[in-house]
Amino acid sequence: MRLSSVFIIIAFIMLAALSGCSNLSHDTHEPVTEENIHNAAEDDENYKDNADNNKENNNEETKSSIRSWKDMYQSKWTFCGDLDNNYPIDDTGQVLIAYGNDNQISGYHSDTYLYGLNKDTGEKIWSVYGGYYPIHYCINEPENTILIGTKPSVDDDTRLQCIEITTGKLLWENFI
């Protein structure tokens, strides 16, 4: 009894699938005529013209948006470091700490710098060269100092420096 029920269900599903697919064999294409070819070419030209117009309008809208963004948010200063890529990574009230690297443009390694910048003017107060390896730092705000660890190359010892953040004065240096 169960087996016959399964066959009936399978037959019903197949019948439903076949009846749904019957329209697929119906030919919906128009015959190819010179007029149809002309109309298709005209439709293609209209599509291209509309796409070009939309592209021009979008470019103008984007340009006006960029202009208004620049008008709304004027930058107070810019900073160009010793390398191409500079990123703000920390701040301490008056001093902005920035990280610079060459994005491996110099060859097989990546040069690095750590900068202390005056937040009001963008002037470089101090910089520390990190060389091939990452620069590690720790800000000691109560003492207004920053500890910086660097290892410029494989042959160099690790250098630990303590710098006064607001002046760039080297307070002490130790090699490990």
Side-chain angles (χ1 to χ4, degrees), residues 64-176:
S64 66
S65 297
I66 291 171
R67 279 193 295 271
S68 66
W69 181 267
K70 288 180 180 178
D71 292 340
M72 290 170 47
Y73 301 103
Q74 294 291 322
S75 57
K76 294 185 342 185
W77 53 264
T78 58
F79 170 72
C80 294
D82 299 300
L83 301 169
D84 292 336
N85 303 297
N86 300 291
Y87 312 96
I89 57 173
D90 217 330
D91 74 87
T92 65
Q94 291 185 354
V95 177
L96 178 70
I97 308 298
Y99 175 79
N101 71 20
D102 69 354
N103 204 20
Q104 297 184 350
I105 293 171
S106 64
Y108 60 92
H109 64 279
S110 179
D111 287 331
T112 57
Y113 276 91
L114 192 67
Y115 303 102
L117 309 175
N118 182 311
K119 282 174 68 172
D120 294 329
T121 65
E123 291 180 41
K124 179 170 63 172
I125 302 168
W126 52 264
S127 69
V128 173
Y129 178 67
Y132 305 127
Y133 297 100
I135 297 175
H136 301 280
Y137 73 96
C138 176
I139 297 173
N140 300 312
E141 287 200 48
E143 294 85 26
N144 197 28
T145 60
I146 183 169
L147 296 173
I148 302 171
T150 60
K151 183 175 174 71
S153 72
V154 176
D155 299 329
D156 293 332
D157 291 331
T158 300
R159 175 184 296 173
L160 184 61
Q161 297 173 312
C162 182
I163 297 174
E164 192 173 277
I165 291 177
T166 55
T167 65
K169 179 182 175 188
L170 179 64
L171 300 176
W172 56 264
E173 181 176 52
N174 199 355
F175 293 92
I176 303 172

Side-chain angles (χ1 to χ4, degrees), residues 22-36:
S22 66
N23 290 337
L24 293 178
S25 64
H26 180 30
D27 186 14
T28 58
H29 299 294
E30 295 180 30
V32 177
T33 63
E34 192 172 319
E35 182 182 352
N36 289 345

